[in-house]
Amino acid sequence: MITKETIRNLAILSRLEFTEDELAKYTQSMDDIFNYANLLKNIETSHVAPSSHAIPIQNVFREDFVIPYENIDKILSNAPEAEAHSFVVPQILAD
Amino acid sequence: MSILNLSALNLSKKIKNKELSSTEITKAFLAQTHKTNAELNSFLIITEKEALATAAKVDAKVAAGQTLEGLEGVPIAIKDNICIQDLPCTCSSRILEGFKPPYNATVIEKIKALNMPIIGKTNMDEFAMGSSTETSAFGITRNPWNTNCVPGGSSGGSAVAVSSLQAPLSLGSDTGGSIRQPASFCGVVGLKPTYGRVSRYGLIAFASSLDQIGPFSQTVEDSAHLLNVICGHDKKDSTSQNIAAEDFTANLQNPINGLKVGIPEELYNTLSGDIKEEYEKVIKKLSGEGVIFETIKLPSLDYALATYYIIAPAEASSNLSRYDGVRFGHRNKEAKSLIEMMTKSRSEGFGAEVKRRILIGSYVLSSGYYDAYYKKAQQVRTLIKEDFNKAFSTYDVIFSPTTPTPAFKIGEKSSNPLEMYLSDIMTIPVNMAGLPGISIPSSIYNGLPLGIQLVSNVLTESKLLNIANIFEKVINFNVNKNAFINT
Amino acid sequence: MTSWEAVIGLEIHAQLTTNTKTFCNCSAEFGATANTHICPVCTGMPGVLPVLNKNVVEYAIKLGLATNCSISGHNEFARKNYFYPDLPKGYQISQFDKPICLKGHMDVVVEGKESKIGITRIHMEEDAGKLVHQGSDNIKGATHSFVDLNRSSVPLLEIVSEPDIRNAKEAVAYMEKVKQILQYLEICDGNMEEGSMRCDANVSIRKKGETSLGTKAEVKNLNSFKSVEKAINLEIERQIDILEEGGTIIQETRHYNEATNSTKSLRSKEEAHDYRYFPDPDLVPIVISSEWVEEVRKSLPELPEARRNRYMADYALNEYDALYITSEKSLADFFENTLKFINKPKDIVNWLMSDVAAYIKSKQLSVNATKLTPELLAGMISLLSAGSISGKIAKDVILEIFETGKNAQQIVSEKGLAQVSDEGAIKQAIEQVLQENHESVESIKNGKVQAIGFLVGQVMKKTGGKANPGLANKLLKELLGIS
């Protein structure tokens, strides 16, 4: 059972904010979706290993040598606010 | 015959034997794009200048007597979740406002190296989350067969581009059917390669363990040629398959006598009566060519959709955390504190469906629900892989409709997310198992195309394309597209 | 007071000295200008993917072997999801339920008492970037902050100890031991000032004899050995005060302030933390075969204990000296390199423990960072043992080497410091001393033989320290007619 409180907590965790109306809508649609997803309870999996990948690959590595990146300015020019060759963010701790 | 009606392979031949220049071809497709885009809204940006510059380069090579390779000089459209350096890349989302990638996706490096003119970036469901291209922040894309219908999604723009002859080829991405479903809705060929066949580097992630880039084209043969261009191991993608290169066009004409095809009843039985009849006709036609069809059971497929709508949002909720207004994209400038800035930027930047997937994903990963949903879904994923594996020990290929219905009406499903999700029921299991799958047009139903989906074992695209190529010839889906040119 | 016992566990983050970051080819070097060691991957640009630096795995295996851990055959990376402006992807790639090293231990000695500290786990993870707060020295009061991503994705090993530590001194000894091993393995420079080693302490207390654990507090921001010691003592006292007044300990995170030597509770954020760990789908499992582990084991350098034992056996050093010399790898290496030039282990050790130690301590330098090289030290010892300079002069010579980097022979000849062993010259000095010190001469003649030492000292003074003291003593006795 998905409640408004569930959605409210998930919103804080996800850095999202909703109006009361949106909260109600998401509560309803998520409840529908999880009612459907609960059909997974019908399938026995206690001895099944979970798969994180579609196809198993292992041990992919990179050698430890430096390749300086040449387009740093193109990264910084994407910043909504930049100063002193840095990204700028507003006050972290409110007064 | 118009330039626009030619297959990519024929265009490439004509460039090579100097019947047509790359510039003529590129101009023809650009003109069609300009003419039709206002109504269809398949392109978010049209990169005319860059495309013509590339075409001119190819023509100069021809003039200098240099040999061209593969699809060199043939234009292509790119889904707007694939990064091209210095061009806006939006994923059809406001959150990526102003973002210009500082680098090229690996597939773009390959396309640029081959001098394929890029016509533009195509519309899509926001962050590829949707099955109708209606969740785009930049307007819906319309189906050229019936402009009151959706083109499917999420790669709706790329499917429409090929279907409406705006480009002979395009690239899309497929996480749960986002290439095959719109290909089916728009009457074109769409191929999702094996997971890891094509590098994901530079593909803006939706669900990392499911995403795969693939081609749209008019013919199976064209998709085989384009796969030759974009595939290959990439050191920048840890999940990329490190295997020897092969030519996917080499076996296209191999005979398929005695081919064994499995039809999973879990998928086939969901069809409604008269649509089922359409597919019965296709099966009958192919059986006449010595193909053996058998109904099979893949019991875990009943759970594939539920599994998908847990795993994909879980990965997505995490993949979308980087859109925080700090380094790129949309930022709310009025916010007084960091947390307010992040929260407002994300709330303003993401659309409703993306937010829903973030909520679903955060929920299934949160403590207390992880085992019941996320871990459970990963276990079912294992069962889906095992079911397919078993089937491939007997059958060469798995056959099903690509979608349960032809293209639906715009707005028809947008108020009911679960119903929208159900339209992916045929295509989703394939991504769960990382298999290659292709959709080819099979018939017209009420003026809209239907498609069949063929799926083969991992890394057997060569065989899959061979079978699809022969099926394509047998089915002979031959539609006069002059109507599309004259819109 | 004495009825309480502290239970302490440490979480140490060690920054690895790989050339590149964990998941991209950017330099991992410390101290560069802001945002000059960045690329699309470590700044979390849309569409990028991580590829693991193999050395991070090798370094982790090395540390695991050196701390008696078992190495996990199957390893996965997980995403730890939270929002912070120094965390570009909105998640940190770390290891969660499948860490690379498990169940090790280290022996530490405090005031002659040895104890075994268990290691729960060691795991690999990437570091976050750095925030530079503006308008104030720290986050509180800052009006805005700059984000520098040079450090973003630099590799870390997190070393989690069992709660086996019982007091602050033991905690420091354990940390020093960890630092020593990291340095011996050459996988971390151990520089706490630059943040290459950072520590959090979990502290709880209980009545002596009890076996259950009390409620713990996590103390963060321990950036020096002194901070570790002070903050732990502070936290133990705070908890004892609370419990003795009948209060209860709250499980919380406390921030240590070195300037005021106090800790402060970090207000719990408005949300409950839920990191939503899950396996990172962009990375593949790392399978470590026993062959790989053995290969790394063979490449391990000699560790402190082994070196100490070898020094005692091969060079006849006593345990105290051997411990001292092996306490830092750089010192032990210096010792061995000096031995290559002169085979006088005890003399080398004496110099390293006295004048060299004093100099590097006063300048706060490592033994490698001065102008004194093993060859120069050997040269100086060689002059001394040949009798070419006196011990007193040698002390001046070594200081001169530290300042100029010149060799001892050159210094001695430039400054005319060679020891005088010419009997005539010394006799001349003795005669003058005898004339100037009648009283001493009288008392010696009256049987107070020990006053002769004073006269020898006067002769040395007269010769600017250059007279061979043994010869001066012998000649004095002859002239005074004492046998």
Side-chain angles (χ1 to χ4, degrees):
Chain A
M1 180 71 188
I2 307 278
T3 64
K4 268 195 185 181
E5 206 40 47
T6 316
I7 304 294
R8 211 173 267 132
N9 287 333
L10 291 172
I12 293 169
L13 210 55
S14 313
R15 295 286 185 273
L16 292 171
E17 60 186 6
F18 296 124
T19 62
E20 279 302 308
D21 190 41
E22 286 173 316
L23 268 182
K25 275 188 192 155
Y26 282 120
T27 306
Q28 183 58 52
S29 67
M30 292 258 299
D31 201 47
D32 289 349
I33 290 162
F34 281 99
N35 277 333
Y36 175 77
N38 282 337
L39 87 99
L40 290 185
K41 289 180 179 148
N42 303 335
I43 185 168
E44 167 58 37
T45 56
S46 50
H47 300 293
V48 181
S51 293
S52 314
H53 294 88
I55 298 166
I57 302 181
Q58 62 191 42
N59 290 10
V60 176
F61 301 113
R62 182 174 58 71
E63 294 303 321
D64 186 23
F65 55 82
V66 175
I67 306 174
Y69 183 67
E70 286 166 4
N71 289 329
I72 287 175
D73 290 344
K74 287 186 195 284
I75 293 176
L76 288 167
S77 66
N78 270 298
E81 199 185 337
E83 199 185 321
H85 216 252
S86 296
F87 305 94
V88 180
V89 292
Q91 191 174 48
I92 295 174
L93 286 189
D95 295 316
Chain B
M1 201 177 200
S2 152
I3 287 177
L4 303 183
N5 274 321
L6 293 170
S7 73
L9 186 63
N10 280 331
L11 290 169
S12 134
K13 282 179 183 162
K14 287 187 189 298
I15 299 171
K16 283 175 185 146
N17 65 24
K18 302 187 188 178
E19 271 182 71
L20 288 171
S21 70
S22 177
T23 303
E24 280 174 89
I25 291 167
T26 306
K27 277 187 173 164
F29 283 103
L30 281 166
Q32 169 76 351
T33 304
H34 283 306
K35 196 168 76 182
T36 54
N37 199 49
E39 184 180 18
L40 299 175
N41 193 35
S42 42
F43 281 84
L44 295 173
I45 54 167
I46 300 166
T47 50
E48 177 151 8
K49 212 176 75 195
E50 294 89 340
L52 290 174
T54 308
K57 215 159 125 189
V58 175
D59 293 338
K61 273 181 86 170
V62 174
Q66 288 176 265
T67 321
L68 299 187
E69 282 176 53
L71 295 173
E72 194 157 7
V74 179
I76 188 167
I78 307 291
K79 188 178 182 179
D80 202 29
N81 60 352
I82 298 173
C83 289
I84 303 179
Q85 189 176 314
D86 301 333
L87 276 187
C89 192
T90 66
C91 286
S92 288
S93 180
R94 298 210 180 279
I95 198 111
L96 276 168
E97 184 175 86
F99 172 61
K100 287 186 180 170
Y103 71 101
N104 280 320
T106 298
V107 292
I108 297 300
E109 292 285 351
K110 288 169 184 275
I111 280 166
K112 289 196 162 183
L114 196 57
N115 295 316
M116 294 176 74
I118 295 171
I119 303 263
K121 306 287 297 281
T122 59
N123 201 10
M124 54 186 281
D125 281 298
E126 185 179 3
F127 281 103
M129 295 174 186
S131 312
S132 64
T133 316
E134 291 171 294
T135 69
S136 168
F138 307 114
I140 57 167
T141 295
R142 290 175 188 274
N143 191 320
W145 292 79
N146 178 343
T147 51
N148 293 320
C149 288
V150 302
S154 66
S155 313
S158 285
V160 170
V162 172
S163 172
S164 66
L165 312 177
Q166 297 169 322
L169 297 166
S170 65
L171 287 186
S173 66
D174 191 318
T175 306
S178 283
I179 290 174
R180 290 157 290 154
Q181 186 253 24
S184 176
F185 279 12
C186 294
V188 296
V189 174
L191 169 68
K192 182 205 95 76
T194 304
Y195 182 83
R197 175 70 88 178
V198 179
S199 169
R200 290 186 298 118
Y201 189 79
L203 168 67
I204 298 182
F206 162 13
S208 313
S209 78
L210 302 162
D211 295 343
Q212 186 65 192
I213 294 174
F216 286 95
S217 60
Q218 301 287 358
T219 67
V220 172
E221 189 173 36
D222 281 357
S223 274
H225 280 278
L226 185 50
L227 184 59
N228 273 352
V229 177
I230 60 174
C231 74
H233 178 241
D234 184 7
K235 284 183 175 167
K236 291 176 183 163
D237 177 357
S238 305
T239 62
S240 161
Q241 293 282 344
N242 193 356
I243 46 166
E246 55 185 303
D247 177 3
F248 297 105
T249 64
N251 300 320
L252 286 176
Q253 313 301 339
N254 285 4
I256 56 160
N257 298 8
L259 187 82
K260 287 191 84 177
V261 178
I263 307 176
E265 61 175 38
E266 292 78 9
L267 302 183
Y268 202 63
N269 289 347
T270 61
L271 292 181
S272 69
D274 43 351
I275 290 182
K276 204 170 192 172
E277 270 171 40
E278 290 294 327
Y279 285 102
E280 295 294 339
K281 281 188 241 168
V282 174
I283 292 168
K284 205 170 160 203
K285 215 169 175 182
L286 291 165
S287 302
E289 300 293 313
V291 177
I292 301 153
F293 284 91
E294 281 175 16
T295 303
I296 57 167
K297 278 190 203 295
L298 300 175
S300 63
L301 294 201
D302 284 337
Y303 303 92
L305 189 74
T307 304
Y308 175 83
Y309 277 97
I310 289 167
I311 290 176
E315 293 180 10
S317 67
S318 173
N319 285 335
L320 294 178
S321 294
R322 69 188 61 197
Y323 306 97
D324 57 4
V326 174
R327 284 148 293 115
F328 49 79
H330 175 70
R331 172 186 289 197
N332 176 298
K333 296 250 161 74
E334 279 76 54
K336 296 278 175 287
S337 73
L338 176 82
I339 192 161
E340 188 190 353
M341 185 280 280
M342 285 186 171
T343 305
K344 288 213 149 46
S345 301
R346 287 168 62 80
S347 299
E348 293 161 357
F350 290 133
E353 182 58 27
V354 172
K355 287 177 190 167
R356 180 172 8 257
R357 308 267 181 126
I358 293 172
L359 294 174
I360 297 171
S362 298
Y363 183 68
V364 300
L365 290 176
S366 56
S367 59
Y369 299 98
Y370 183 93
D371 285 352
Y373 290 115
Y374 184 74
K375 190 178 168 205
K376 180 86 183 184
Q378 284 196 315
Q379 289 171 313
V380 177
R381 189 174 188 179
T382 304
L383 296 177
I384 295 170
K385 285 163 44 169
E386 288 172 0
D387 273 0
F388 273 116
N389 257 336
K390 263 182 251 158
F392 288 125
S393 65
T394 310
Y395 299 95
D396 296 291
V397 70
I398 309 273
F399 172 103
S400 73
T402 310
T403 57
T405 66
F408 46 86
K409 292 264 184 318
I410 289 164
E412 187 183 323
K413 299 190 184 204
S414 35
S415 61
N416 188 335
L418 188 55
E419 205 179 302
M420 182 75 88
Y421 297 173
L422 284 164
S423 70
D424 296 332
I425 198 152
M426 307 284 184
T427 48
I428 273 172
V430 180
N431 300 75
M432 303 304 296
L435 304 168
I438 191 167
S439 176
I440 61 173
S442 58
S443 51
I444 308 275
Y445 176 79
N446 286 344
L448 289 167
L450 289 174
I452 56 167
Q453 172 179 247
L454 302 172
V455 178
S456 68
N457 210 345
V458 291
L459 298 172
T460 60
E461 281 90 339
S462 196
K463 179 174 164 189
L464 179 70
L465 287 160
N466 168 213
I467 296 165
N469 186 51
I470 305 291
F471 279 22
E472 181 182 59
K473 301 285 178 293
V474 174
I475 292 169
N476 194 23
F477 179 85
N478 210 350
V479 178
N480 184 343
K481 288 227 170 154
N482 290 333
F484 291 0
I485 300 173
N486 297 326
T487 41
Chain C
M1 280 290 274
T2 49
S3 64
W4 295 99
E5 171 184 72
V7 177
I8 302 159
L10 295 187
E11 290 171 13
I12 297 173
H13 285 91
Q15 209 175 71
L16 300 182
T17 50
T18 50
N19 296 322
T20 64
K21 295 184 178 184
T22 319
F23 297 112
C24 64
N25 285 92
C26 286
S27 167
E29 206 185 338
F30 174 83
T33 309
N35 293 304
T36 52
H37 292 168
I38 61 169
C39 76
V41 177
C42 57
T43 55
M45 290 282 130
V48 298
L49 296 169
V51 184
L52 179 61
N53 180 345
K54 191 173 185 184
N55 272 352
V56 174
V57 182
E58 301 241 335
Y59 286 15
I61 299 174
K62 279 186 186 178
L63 183 60
L65 292 175
T67 55
N68 312 296
C69 287
S70 61
I71 308 298
S72 310
H74 183 89
N75 284 273
E76 279 177 14
F77 279 101
R79 294 185 182 177
K80 180 183 184 181
N81 295 285
Y82 66 97
F83 288 93
Y84 210 62
D86 63 6
L87 190 70
K89 299 184 292 295
Y91 57 83
Q92 178 195 31
I93 304 177
S94 180
Q95 288 191 288
F96 181 50
D97 53 355
K98 297 182 171 75
I100 185 160
C101 311
L102 283 165
K103 292 198 175 76
H105 64 85
M106 268 191 275
D107 299 318
V108 301
V109 181
V110 180
E111 286 158 0
K113 192 172 147 265
E114 192 172 77
S115 47
K116 183 184 265 190
I117 309 296
I119 290 170
T120 315
R121 59 184 280 166
I122 300 172
H123 71 251
M124 305 176 276
E125 63 184 27
E126 56 175 351
D127 209 341
K130 201 175 89 183
L131 295 174
V132 184
H133 303 298
Q134 305 297 310
S136 170
D137 285 346
N138 57 48
I139 188 164
K140 186 115 182 87
T143 53
H144 58 294
S145 305
F146 291 166
V147 183
D148 172 10
L149 297 177
N150 281 347
R151 204 180 63 186
S152 165
S153 201
V154 166
L156 299 175
L157 292 180
E158 181 173 335
I159 306 145
V160 182
S161 85
E162 290 286 303
D164 290 343
I165 300 165
R166 291 291 167 267
N167 57 59
K169 278 207 162 66
E170 206 169 65
V172 170
Y174 166 77
M175 256 202 101
E176 276 173 342
K177 189 72 182 261
V178 170
K179 176 179 166 179
Q180 182 194 39
I181 287 180
L182 289 167
Q183 288 179 332
Y184 264 78
L185 295 171
E186 295 179 322
I187 62 173
C188 169
D189 63 22
N191 189 330
M192 292 192 80
E193 289 74 44
E194 292 179 1
S196 321
M197 249 179 101
R198 308 193 283 268
C199 176
D200 303 330
N202 288 304
V203 180
S204 65
I205 58 167
R206 64 182 172 198
K207 281 264 162 66
K208 270 191 182 148
E210 274 181 14
T211 51
S212 63
L213 293 173
T215 306
K216 68 179 179 185
E218 186 179 14
V219 189
K220 285 190 176 280
N221 193 38
L222 309 179
N223 297 328
S224 64
F225 290 113
K226 259 205 180 75
S227 297
V228 171
E229 184 168 356
K230 283 183 174 172
I232 287 174
N233 281 331
L234 211 59
E235 182 56 23
I236 294 172
E237 282 165 30
R238 189 187 71 89
Q239 293 189 13
I240 290 173
D241 286 350
I242 290 174
L243 291 185
E244 293 201 331
E245 282 164 23
T248 48
I249 309 292
I250 309 163
Q251 183 157 351
E252 62 180 349
T253 301
R254 300 183 70 83
H255 187 89
Y256 177 69
N257 184 328
E258 196 168 9
T260 58
N261 189 35
S262 60
T263 67
K264 205 174 113 185
S265 178
L266 289 178
R267 267 180 305 151
S268 63
K269 305 252 169 69
E270 51 193 283
E271 79 207 66
H273 276 295
D274 188 339
Y275 291 123
R276 291 156 288 149
Y277 282 99
F278 75 106
D280 191 328
D282 287 331
L283 290 160
V284 301
I286 304 139
V287 176
I288 302 172
S289 64
S290 50
E291 289 78 27
W292 190 0
V293 173
E294 285 319 303
E295 214 175 283
V296 175
R297 195 191 301 277
K298 276 183 214 139
S299 78
L300 284 182
E302 187 182 31
L303 293 171
E305 275 88 345
R307 256 199 199 192
R308 188 213 314 168
N309 292 337
R310 180 165 62 86
Y311 288 179
M312 288 162 68
D314 291 5
Y315 306 126
L317 297 190
N318 64 40
E319 188 176 9
Y320 180 84
D321 291 359
L323 256 175
Y324 182 89
I325 290 294
T326 56
S327 64
E328 281 193 43
K329 178 167 189 295
S330 53
L331 192 61
D333 286 346
F334 198 98
F335 166 69
E336 290 196 33
N337 287 331
T338 310
L339 272 173
K340 288 177 195 158
F341 296 101
I342 185 166
N343 188 21
K344 290 188 180 297
K346 184 63 193 165
D347 289 357
I348 299 170
V349 167
N350 286 344
W351 280 97
L352 289 176
M353 290 175 72
S354 55
D355 296 59
V356 175
Y359 182 82
I360 61 177
K361 196 178 173 201
S362 72
K363 302 275 177 193
Q364 296 207 311
L365 289 171
S366 139
V367 69
N368 294 322
T370 79
K371 291 184 174 153
L372 179 77
T373 62
E375 189 174 7
L376 291 176
L377 177 62
M380 199 274 299
I381 292 172
S382 149
L383 285 186
L384 176 64
S385 51
S388 307
I389 51 172
S390 65
K392 187 173 175 302
I393 292 290
K395 283 175 173 296
D396 296 336
V397 169
I398 199 159
L399 281 175
E400 190 70 15
I401 298 175
F402 277 127
E403 295 304 321
T404 64
K406 290 178 181 170
N407 73 48
Q409 186 62 62
Q410 194 183 351
I411 293 167
V412 166
S413 48
E414 275 176 16
K415 300 214 162 179
L417 299 174
Q419 180 156 279
V420 177
S421 297
D422 168 20
E423 287 198 12
I426 296 175
K427 266 187 186 158
Q428 215 172 0
I430 291 174
E431 274 159 11
Q432 277 183 32
V433 167
L434 295 181
Q435 276 176 20
E436 289 160 14
N437 294 282
H438 282 298
E439 279 181 31
S440 302
V441 174
E442 282 308 307
S443 61
I444 290 167
K445 285 185 174 163
N446 291 335
K448 229 182 153 194
V449 187
Q450 55 270 47
I452 199 161
F454 170 75
L455 291 179
V456 174
Q458 293 304 304
V459 173
M460 295 306 290
K461 206 171 169 185
K462 210 128 238 144
T463 60
K466 289 182 283 185
N468 179 331
L471 193 57
N473 195 39
K474 179 173 156 259
L475 292 174
L476 244 174
K477 283 182 178 168
E478 276 176 19
L479 286 174
L480 291 170
I482 309 164
S483 53

